[in-house]
Amino acid sequence: DVSVLPTLVVSEAVPRVAKTYDSVITEVAGVELQVDEQPTNGITYVTVMLDMSGLPARLIPYLPLFSSFLTEMGTRQLEYKDLAEAIKASTGGINGGLDMN
């Protein structure tokens, strides 16, 4: 009997006016940083954008391949397996991608 199931009316669940947050532009270690506070229950999301304008034209075709490898390589301090375990233990995941404007 569906009449015993709890119900929720949209007006009870969604506020009439959505809360908005302003962007803050700051500088960290000489690098411009845009911070956009959002209600994410304490989860931090980061998007890193790199200026690739100095990259030689002959390497541009390799950017998609490079971005796909970013999360499949190790570092100077950690081999791939150790890095993957550290990422898994302390984050929801890290991925790389390519967006050319």
Side-chain angles (χ1 to χ4, degrees), residues 14-57:
V14 180
R16 285 198 170 274
V17 178
K19 185 173 182 179
T20 60
Y21 301 87
D22 293 329
S23 294
V24 175
I25 306 295
T26 187
E27 192 172 297
V28 176
V31 176
E32 186 177 278
L33 177 69
Q34 177 180 330
V35 178
D36 297 295
E37 181 182 345
Q38 296 292 316
T40 60
N41 292 327
I43 297 171
T44 301
Y45 295 88
V46 177
T47 300
V48 178
M49 297 170 57
L50 304 173
D51 179 3
M52 304 300 281
S53 62
L55 188 69

Side-chain angles (χ1 to χ4, degrees), residues 3-98:
S3 67
V4 298
L5 296 175
T7 59
L8 184 62
V9 179
V10 173
S11 63
E12 296 171 350
V14 180
R16 285 198 170 274
V17 178
K19 185 173 182 179
T20 60
Y21 301 87
D22 293 329
S23 294
V24 175
I25 306 295
T26 187
E27 192 172 297
V28 176
V31 176
E32 186 177 278
L33 177 69
Q34 177 180 330
V35 178
D36 297 295
E37 181 182 345
Q38 296 292 316
T40 60
N41 292 327
I43 297 171
T44 301
Y45 295 88
V46 177
T47 300
V48 178
M49 297 170 57
L50 304 173
D51 179 3
M52 304 300 281
S53 62
L55 188 69
R58 65 183 174 76
L59 297 178
I60 291 174
Y62 298 102
L63 282 175
L65 182 63
F66 176 73
S67 68
S68 70
F69 286 158
L70 281 177
T71 58
E72 298 179 14
M73 298 186 297
T75 67
R76 287 184 183 141
Q77 288 81 24
L78 296 173
E79 293 183 12
Y80 166 72
K81 181 180 176 187
D82 298 325
L83 179 61
E85 288 176 4
I87 290 170
K88 186 177 179 182
S90 60
T91 75
I94 296 176
N95 61 43
L98 182 62

